[in-house]
Amino acid sequence: MKRYLMTPGPTPVAPETQLAMAQPILHHRSPQFMEILAKVREDLKYLFQTEQEVLMFAATGTGAMEGAVANTLSPGDYALVVDGGKFGERWAELCEVYGIVVDRLRVEWGRAVKPEEVAQRLQANPAIKAVFVQANETSTAVQHPVKELAEITRSLPGTILVVDAISALGGYPLPMDEWGLDVVVAGSQKAMMLPPGLAFVALSPKAWEFVKTSKCPKYYFDFAKQLKSQQKNQTAFTSAVTLTMGLQQVLTWIREQGLEKIFAHNRKLSRAAKAAVQAMGLNLYSKENPSEVLTAVEAPAGVDGQQVVAKLRERGIWIAGGQAQAKGKIFRIAHMGYIDELDLLGTIGALESALNELGYKVELGVGVKAAQEILGKEA
Amino acid sequence: MKRYLMTPGPTPVAPETQLAMAQPILHHRSPQFMEILAKVREDLKYLFQTEQEVLMFAATGTGAMEGAVANTLSPGDYALVVDGGKFGERWAELCEVYGIVVDRLRVEWGRAVKPEEVAQRLQANPAIKAVFVQANETSTAVQHPVKELAEITRSLPGTILVVDAISALGGYPLPMDEWGLDVVVAGSQKAMMLPPGLAFVALSPKAWEFVKTSKCPKYYFDFAKQLKSQQKNQTAFTSAVTLTMGLQQVLTWIREQGLEKIFAHNRKLSRAAKAAVQAMGLNLYSKENPSEVLTAVEAPAGVDGQQVVAKLRERGIWIAGGQAQAKGKIFRIAHMGYIDELDLLGTIGALESALNELGYKVELGVGVKAAQEILGKEA
C-alpha cells in the first residue's frame, strides 16, 4: 500500500532526494565534499533569510535546541520560556537541566502568547537574558507572534529571542535578519523534506556576543567551534555525508522555486485544509494564529482523536494525534514540504469516510468541495 | 573515476545498503519502524557482544563520547585519561569541559598504554572514578590493551572503564561482557559500513549505577531517557530513520556472516597490508599492538606523508595522512568494513608507483607479492 506522510515530521522525501542520497559516499574532508558544503552554506543563508552562518549538526532538532541553551546562557541566568505546548515544555526542561532559572509563561494550549505579557515579564525581571519560544508550536498548531516578540527583545541589549523554528522554517515567512530573531533552530525532516538527522541553528551578532560569556558545558554542540570549522567548509566533527548530499539537492530546488512561491503554496494548502474540516462541522484546535503548515482539529463529540488517526492509517495516510493533554481530543494534518494538492484532497476525502465510520455523520464530498474551491483559485 | 575509500571512516557503503536507505521514509513512531528498531536492538547486542541495551543516537561518535562523560561522572570527579593520540586528547577535552579533574597518562604516539601504569595511577588516587581509553587509537593505529585494563578496573567497585571503540567495534574482537568493559562507544561510518550520523553506546550494570548519581547536565544524550524509550522500541527523540534502515540491513548481513569470519577477514587484510609495506622497506608507525583495522606507515626519509596521500588520490584511492604531531610523517591505510582483497592489492600497487614517483625507489610488485602470499593462504 502507498504511504502518505501527512505528519509534522518526518515528511515525505522526494525521489530526486532519495537518489541524491544513494550516491557513493564521499570522504567528509575531500575537496568534492567541501565544495558541497560551500554551496549548502550559501543556500542555508537564503533559507534562513540571514547573512549569518547557519551551523549544521549531525543530530535531530532537539540537539540544536540544547545547543541554543548551552551556548548562550550560564548556570544561574534567568530565562523566560513561553510554554504553550509540548515543545514549549521542552525549552523549560532544557533550561532547567543547565541550571537556568526559568520563568514559565504558561499559555493555554491552542492559544498564542500575547506580546504584551512577554513585555510585562521582561519588565518585571530585567535580568532575564533570553526568551525561548516556538515559531510554530507543533503540538497545538499555533504560530506564536515571533515578529512582535522580536520587536520587544531587539530594544533590550541584555536579552535575546531564541526561536524553535523546527516545524516552521521553510514553511512560512520567518525572515531572521529582517525581524531581528537572535537564535533560530531548524531540523531536516519537516519543510526541508529530508530524513531526520540534521539540525541547524543560526545566531544574530547579538546572540554571538552571548556565546562569548556562556559558561555551560558543551562540546559536540559547541557553536563557536562549529562556526570556525564551517568557515573552512568543514564541520567540527564528521559530517553526516549522505544527508548533506540530500540537503544540497533540496536547497537547490528550494532556491529555484523561491521561498515566496513555496510559502504561497503552503498557505493555500493550509486554507484549504482548514476550510475543509470546518465544512465538515469540525472546529480548529488552534483558537489563535492557526499554523500555516499544520491543521489541528478537535475530534467531534463521542469520537476519539486516536481513532481518526487509526482509520486513516488503514488507508495508508499518516496524520498525527494529539500529544499529552491533547491526546485523544484532537488530530493533526500536516501540509508542509513535499505535499501537493492531490495529497491533501485525498486526505480530506479519507477523513470524511473515516468520520462516517466512527459515527460522526458528514456528507461525503463536503470537505473536499470546500478545499477544491480554494485550491482552484490562482495562488 | 572510481573512488576507493581506504580511510578510517567514512568507509565504503555497499550498494545493498544504499538501496535499503533509498526506501521511502517511514514515520518514526509507526509499527513498521518500531519493528525495525526491535530487530536492530537485538542485532546490536550481538555486535557489541553484550546482554545490555545498546543505545542509539542521531549523532556522530563524538556525541556518544560526550554522553559517556556527562552520564557517568559529576563535576569535581577524578578521571584517568589514556592520551596516546588525537582521540585520547578528545577524552581529556571532554572531561575538562564537564569540570572533571583529569589525570592524563601520556603515551608516546605509536605506543600502547602499559596496564601496570594504569594500575599504578589508580592506586595513587583511589578516588578516580573512570578510566577513559581508545580500543583503537585511530591517529596512531595502535590498539590499547583494553582487556587487560578491564581486568584492573573490574576489581575496583568505584571505577569504570570507558572505551572509545568507534574505529574498533565490528573490526576485531572486543567482547564487552566477557572482558568486562563498562562503557563502549561506537559509530556508524567505520566497520559498520554505514554513512556517518549514528552513534552507539552500551553500559555495563556497574556503569548504569554510576548514571544514577551523575550530576553533569545532559538532555539530548541522556542515557537513562534513551534506555527507557528504546525499551518501548522508540528513540527518545526523532529517529534517524534512513540510517536506521541501512543499519538493519548491515546488521542482518553481519549476523549472517558471523563476527568470527569478519574478524578473520580483517586480520588477514591487516597482515597483508603490514607485510606489503615492510617488503617495500617501510616502517610501521605503530611500535606496539598495531591495529588490525588500520595500518599506519612512516613516510620514508625525504618524502612527505601528505604527498603520498595526494599521489594515491590522483588514482582515486583515498588513504589518510597523519594528524597533529604525525602530520606529514605518516600515512594510514584502513582495511575495515566493506573492503576486500582486490581493494587492498590495488591500493598497495598504487602505493608502490606513488613512492617511486616521489623519489623513494621500490621494486614494482614487491609489496603486492608480500600481500598476495598472505591473502593466498586459507583464513
Side-chain angles (χ1 to χ4, degrees), chain A residues 3 7 10 18 22-28 30 58-60 63 66 93-94 97 195-196 217-220 238-239 242 318, chain B residues 3 5 7 10 18 22-28 30 58-60 66 90 93-94 97 195-196 217 219-220 238-239 242 318:
Chain A
R3 193 165 45 228
T7 45
Q18 291 173 308
Q23 293 175 80
I25 194 115
L26 286 169
H27 195 276
H28 59 293
S30 66
T60 62
E66 179 166 356
E93 287 170 11
L94 274 164
V97 157
K218 57 252 175 189
Y219 192 89
Y220 188 71
T238 310
S239 309
T242 313
W318 284 72
Chain B
R3 193 166 44 229
L5 280 190
T7 44
Q18 291 173 307
Q23 292 176 81
I25 193 113
L26 286 169
H27 195 276
H28 59 293
S30 67
T60 63
E66 179 167 356
R90 183 162 297 176
E93 287 170 10
L94 274 164
V97 158
Y219 193 90
Y220 189 71
T238 310
S239 309
T242 312
W318 284 72

Side-chain angles (χ1 to χ4, degrees), chain A residues 23 27 31-32 57 62 73 75 83 92 107 112 121 133-134 173 201 207-208 216 280 284 305 317 326 353 368 371 379:
Chain A
Q23 293 175 80
H27 195 276
Q32 294 89 333
F57 294 95
T62 304
L73 300 181
D83 177 1
V107 178
R121 296 273 184 127
V133 68
Q134 270 62 40
V201 63
W208 276 115
C216 289
M280 296 181 215
L284 296 182
I317 299 168
S353 302
V368 172

Side-chain angles (χ1 to χ4, degrees), chain B residues 60 145 253 261 312 339 350:
Chain B
T60 63
W253 182 85
K261 190 170 159 191
L312 287 183
I339 294 289

Side-chain angles (χ1 to χ4, degrees), chain B residues 29-297:
Chain B
R29 308 286 186 212
S30 67
Q32 294 90 330
F33 189 71
M34 287 167 71
E35 213 174 280
I36 291 174
L37 278 184
K39 176 82 168 49
V40 157
R41 286 172 57 208
E42 278 314 302
D43 288 347
L44 281 172
K45 289 179 188 177
Y46 171 78
L47 177 65
F48 275 67
Q49 298 182 263
T50 185
E51 290 181 6
Q52 303 304 314
E53 183 81 12
V54 180
L55 307 178
M56 289 172 259
F57 293 95
T60 63
T62 304
M65 287 175 77
E66 179 167 356
V69 172
N71 282 270
T72 58
L73 300 180
S74 301
D77 278 354
Y78 292 89
L80 178 62
V81 171
V82 175
D83 176 1
K86 188 175 148 65
F87 294 96
E89 275 173 21
R90 183 162 297 176
W91 275 137
E93 287 170 10
L94 274 164
C95 285
E96 281 160 3
V97 158
Y98 282 89
I100 313 301
V101 186
V102 173
D103 181 7
R104 273 188 203 232
L105 204 174
R106 289 190 195 274
V107 179
E108 190 189 336
W109 281 43
R111 299 206 174 267
V113 70
K114 292 191 186 5
E116 55 271 27
E117 282 192 40
V118 169
Q120 280 162 11
R121 297 273 184 126
L122 290 175
Q123 216 164 6
N125 182 3
I128 288 172
K129 286 185 72 176
V131 179
F132 291 90
V133 69
Q134 271 62 40
N136 184 72
E137 170 56 67
T138 311
S139 61
T140 63
V142 164
Q143 293 179 193
H144 287 302
V146 293
K147 184 184 180 189
E148 287 72 18
L149 298 185
E151 280 163 13
I152 298 166
T153 51
R154 71 194 310 170
S155 69
L156 303 171
T159 312
I160 52 171
L161 180 64
V162 183
V163 179
D164 163 7
I166 295 173
S167 65
L169 193 98
Y172 63 85
L174 210 72
M176 176 174 167
D177 287 1
E178 189 191 321
W179 286 3
L181 314 177
D182 293 307
V183 182
V184 175
V185 176
S188 52
Q189 81 277 23
K190 315 270 180 181
M192 292 173 79
M193 305 176 286
L194 289 166
L198 286 180
F200 307 92
V201 61
L203 283 77
S204 70
K206 184 178 169 186
W208 276 114
E209 286 301 314
F210 278 54
V211 172
K212 289 182 189 164
T213 58
S214 160
K215 287 186 180 62
C216 289
K218 55 252 175 189
Y219 193 90
Y220 189 71
F221 295 117
D222 184 324
F223 288 180
K225 192 181 341 186
Q226 189 66 25
L227 176 68
K228 216 173 136 188
S229 290
Q230 286 192 197
Q231 285 169 337
K232 292 183 282 188
N233 287 322
Q234 305 210 346
T235 51
F237 307 109
T238 310
S239 309
V241 173
T242 312
L243 292 170
T244 307
M245 287 164 87
L247 178 65
Q248 180 195 33
Q249 190 274 334
V250 161
L251 290 174
T252 301
W253 182 85
I254 288 176
R255 203 153 182 173
E256 278 167 12
Q257 293 285 307
L259 283 179
E260 276 318 311
K261 190 170 159 191
I262 292 168
F263 294 157
H265 170 76
N266 290 350
R267 205 177 304 125
K268 199 173 181 180
L269 291 183
S270 176
R271 284 193 295 120
K274 287 165 181 63
V277 293
Q278 287 172 320
M280 296 182 214
L282 301 172
N283 297 317
L284 296 183
Y285 181 63
S286 323
K287 302 302 168 199
E288 286 161 354
N289 296 11
S291 170
E292 287 174 28
V293 289
L294 184 62
T295 298
V297 188

Side-chain angles (χ1 to χ4, degrees), chain A residues 193-266:
Chain A
M193 306 175 286
L194 289 165
L198 286 180
F200 307 92
V201 63
L203 283 77
S204 69
K206 184 177 168 186
W208 276 115
E209 285 300 313
F210 279 53
V211 171
K212 289 183 189 163
T213 57
S214 160
K215 288 188 177 62
C216 289
K218 57 252 175 189
Y219 192 89
Y220 188 71
F221 295 117
D222 184 324
F223 288 179
K225 193 180 343 186
Q226 188 67 26
L227 176 68
K228 215 173 137 188
S229 291
Q230 286 191 197
Q231 285 169 337
K232 292 182 283 190
N233 288 323
Q234 304 209 348
T235 52
F237 307 109
T238 310
S239 309
V241 174
T242 313
L243 291 171
T244 307
M245 288 163 87
L247 178 65
Q248 181 195 32
Q249 189 275 333
V250 160
L251 290 175
T252 301
W253 183 85
I254 288 176
R255 204 151 181 175
E256 280 167 10
Q257 293 284 306
L259 282 179
E260 277 317 310
K261 190 171 161 191
I262 292 169
F263 294 158
H265 170 78
N266 290 351

